[in-house]
Structures are given as C-alpha cells and as structure tokens.
Amino acid sequence: MQTDEDVYVGDFEFDGNWREFAAIALPNLVLTIATLGIYRFWATTRVRRYLWSRTVFMGDRLEWSGTGRELFRSALVAIVLVLVPLAIANLIVRQLLVHGHTVAGQVLSGVVLIGLYILTGIAVFRSLRYRLSRTNWRGIRGGSHDQGIRFGPAYAWKNFVGMLPLGALMPWAMVSLWNQRWNAMSFGPWTFAARGRASGLKLPFLWCYVAPVVAIGVIALIIWSGMIVTFFGIEPRTPVEWVLIRLPAVFAFFFLYSLIMLAYYASFIRQMIRSTSLGDMNFSFNAGATDWMELYVVDFLLVLFTLGLGSVFISYRHWTFYLRNLQVDGRINFGAVTQSDTPAPGQGEGLLDVLDMGAL
C-alpha cells in the first residue's frame, strides 16, 4: 500500500536456490550447444528473469523485462557495424606492412586501437543503461537520457592517462569513469549520485604498484649475487631443472599478487558503492579480498571438477554474492514513486557481447 510518509528501506533479499536454478541453467546449456551458440541470448534472458524474480526489495520483487530477441538482434547489428569494419581494417594494415608502408600501417593500427577503446566505452555505458531500463520494481524502471556517446572518448583518454606514468593514475581513471557513468543514470524519479574519490585508494594501490618492483629487485639481487635457489635441496643441472625448481616461487608470487590485486579491487568496489546513492538511499558493500578470493577459487574448482558443466552456476553464485554483501540504508517515499521518463533503448547489449565483455 502506498503512503506519503517516508519509510526506512531494507536490504535486498534472495529466496531462490541452486536446484531451481539448475532446472533453468542445464537446459540452457544443452540448447545453446545444440544451436551452436545462438540460443545463448535467450538463455541469458531466462537466467536474468529467474534471478530478478527471486530478488526482493521492500517486499516487492524485481522483474526483468528484456528479451532474447533484443540481445540477438543487437549482436547481429554489432557484428555488421563493428567486427566487419575491424576485420577489413586489419587486412588493410597487414597489406600496408607487407608492402613496406610501415608508418601508414602503424598509424592506421593506432587509429583502430583508439576506435576500439571508444567503442568499448560506449558498450560499457549502454550495457548499464540497458540493464536498468529492463529492470522493473513496483512498476518503475531505470535508464538514462544520455546515449553514452561522450563516455566512449572519455573511456579512451582517461584509461590512457591512467597508464601514465606506469599505471600510477589508474585509480583516478577508474573512479572518474565510475562517477561519470553512474551520474548519468536514474531509476524511476530518482537520480544516481556518484561522488567517489581516488584518495582513499592510494594505499591499496601502492601495494599493487610496489609488489612487482620488489619481486624484480629480489630476482635481480639473486642473479647478481650468484645465489642458487634450490627446492627440497635439489640444485639445477639442466635448464629444464632450473625452470622447474623455480616454478613454485613463480606460482607463489602470482598467488600473492592476485591477493594484493583483489585487496585493491575489493577496496575500490567498497568505496565506490559507498559513495553512490539513489535519492535518499545509500549503499554499502562488505566483501573483502578474502571473500572475492573465495568466490573465484570456488568458481575455478567448480568448473574444473565438473569438466566445465559447473560454469552454468557462476552467474547464480555471483548474483547471490553481490546481494549478500550489498546493504541499503535511507528512506523512500512510496507516494512519490513515479515512472522514469528516460527513453527505453530498443537495442540490447550486442556491442558489449561482441567485444566479449558481457556480464551475467
């Protein structure tokens, strides 16, 4: 029942289970294989409809109104407008290099790379816009008046600047792009407000920045001093033994560095979600680095020990992971709830899917 009084909001709830999801995901897999991948667009729609319908917020369920036809049609358009021109440009670059026009080939290759970055930015923006426009709650949906055209160049130049010097400005680029994208979005009568700042990410990112430098320094010191690293007392006699003996150290480094990267990513997600609000509603996210590591390790083991069959459950695991760690605080006036006046895009996420950056 609607009221003109403000009501305190509660967290999202999920009342589905993996058995119900399996009854959808496994037939999806069979049909996708049988149709050589074409059914995947309808499979994605079925998965989203289930996950959305089992998600409850303030006593009302979410609803996914997108269709497989939308995703399929937009993918075809993206293939014609993006992949075909890219393939033609690649052939031209090769011909230029083969015939000795190195400078022209490199220039064209650079232009293609910049264009690809811009298209990626547009795809990232429009995918969020599309998902919000197809998400319904209490009869209202989200969306954006922005078409995402300006976000494409911003995505390209901010990522380029973020890599200078040696990636030191990546936190600024990530935060700036998060703010720009979410500030253009709305849901119903409310507008998202993202006020993230990169200052709180300096220390977590410093570990990501310093760890490889320290590792390279240690390796250089070992080589310079003539030390011989052994494993279980075995000294290397051949190049193969030299490599095998050092493999455990290499794996240990990448494992620890993955933890460091996850610690930064977890800090980034927590700060960005905490700095993002919708009307009078504020959000927070509790997952730390160990939680993300557990999520991905179990994903890997699930796929490994089921020979790939378990991959159909990854979307379910990730959706419940996000809902379990997401918290909402604030008030909402049900009497002020109105439908969004943003245009509902007719296309799906074809460009993002063609660029192999799809989610869920």
Side-chain angles (χ1 to χ4, degrees):
M1 182 176 67
Q2 290 187 347
T3 175
D4 290 333
E5 296 181 357
D6 288 346
V7 179
Y8 285 102
V9 300
D11 294 333
F12 287 90
E13 300 175 4
F14 185 79
D15 58 8
N17 61 73
W18 70 269
R19 295 179 182 84
E20 288 181 345
F21 184 79
I24 296 174
L26 294 178
N28 279 348
L29 177 63
V30 173
L31 290 171
T32 300
I33 294 174
T35 59
L36 303 178
I38 294 178
Y39 187 76
R40 66 190 299 265
F41 304 102
W42 285 266
T44 298
T45 298
R46 292 188 64 197
V47 166
R48 289 177 177 175
R49 283 179 179 169
Y50 173 79
L51 295 177
W52 266 244
S53 68
R54 293 298 186 270
T55 303
V56 182
F57 181 64
M58 298 289 290
D60 290 277
R61 296 181 182 275
L62 301 184
E63 178 187 355
W64 177 259
S65 62
T67 66
R69 182 180 296 180
E70 290 175 345
L71 299 178
F72 179 65
R73 184 174 60 245
S74 60
L76 290 179
V77 172
I79 289 174
V80 173
L81 298 182
V82 178
L83 287 192
V84 173
L86 283 177
I88 295 174
N90 184 55
L91 289 175
I92 295 174
V93 169
R94 290 189 177 186
Q95 289 299 315
L96 288 173
L97 295 177
V98 167
H99 291 85
H101 303 291
T102 305
V103 175
Q106 291 176 343
V107 170
L108 180 57
S109 179
V111 171
V112 171
L113 181 62
I114 294 173
L116 188 59
Y117 250 95
I118 293 174
L119 288 174
T120 300
I122 295 174
V124 168
F125 184 95
R126 290 192 172 184
S127 68
L128 177 59
R129 174 174 173 257
Y130 171 76
R131 292 170 192 176
L132 286 174
S133 73
R134 296 304 188 268
T135 298
N136 295 294
W137 176 74
R138 293 179 65 92
I140 64 173
R141 59 171 177 81
S144 175
H145 290 286
D146 196 326
Q147 298 292 320
I149 302 301
R150 292 176 298 177
F151 188 81
Y155 184 88
W157 78 260
K158 287 181 179 180
N159 273 294
F160 175 77
V161 172
M163 295 302 296
L164 303 174
L166 298 177
L169 297 178
M170 280 308 300
W172 167 83
M174 294 172 66
V175 170
S176 179
L177 290 171
W178 173 286
N179 291 340
Q180 183 175 345
R181 184 167 63 141
W182 278 101
N183 282 330
M185 303 295 165
S186 63
F187 195 88
W190 308 292
T191 301
F192 283 97
R195 306 180 183 88
R197 301 181 63 182
S199 56
L201 298 172
K202 290 181 180 178
L203 184 58
F205 187 73
L206 182 62
W207 286 102
C208 301
Y209 206 74
V210 170
V213 177
V214 173
I216 293 173
V218 170
I219 294 173
L221 177 63
I222 291 174
I223 295 175
W224 176 77
S225 62
M227 296 170 57
I228 298 178
V229 180
T230 64
F231 184 60
F232 292 136
I234 303 174
E235 294 186 3
R237 293 185 177 85
T238 65
V240 174
E241 290 180 352
W242 191 93
V243 172
L244 292 177
I245 287 172
R246 285 156 177 78
L247 277 179
V250 173
F251 287 136
F253 167 75
F254 280 108
F255 177 76
L256 292 175
Y257 191 63
S258 298
L259 282 179
I260 295 173
M261 289 292 293
L262 279 176
Y264 166 71
Y265 182 72
S267 180
F268 170 78
I269 291 296
R270 286 198 304 269
Q271 292 195 44
M272 293 303 99
I273 292 180
R274 187 170 60 243
S275 67
T276 304
S277 60
L278 177 63
D280 294 327
M281 291 179 284
N282 302 305
F283 305 95
S284 61
F285 198 75
N286 300 324
T290 54
D291 299 310
W292 287 99
M293 176 62 75
E294 179 183 355
L295 176 70
Y296 290 129
V297 168
V298 175
D299 283 348
F300 173 76
L301 296 177
L302 181 64
V303 174
L304 179 65
F305 288 104
T306 61
L307 302 178
L309 186 64
S311 61
V312 299
F313 293 100
I314 289 180
S315 59
Y316 175 88
R317 285 178 37 78
H318 286 213
W319 180 263
T320 55
F321 174 81
Y322 298 140
L323 293 181
R324 189 167 60 248
N325 287 282
L326 181 65
Q327 293 184 337
V328 190
D329 181 43
R331 297 184 178 189
I332 184 172
N333 188 332
F334 285 111
V337 174
T338 58
Q339 181 57 276
S340 172
D341 61 352
T342 58
Q347 77 282 357
E349 305 163 20
L351 181 55
L352 196 74
D353 197 60
V354 165
L355 296 174
D356 197 24
M357 296 178 62
L360 261 178

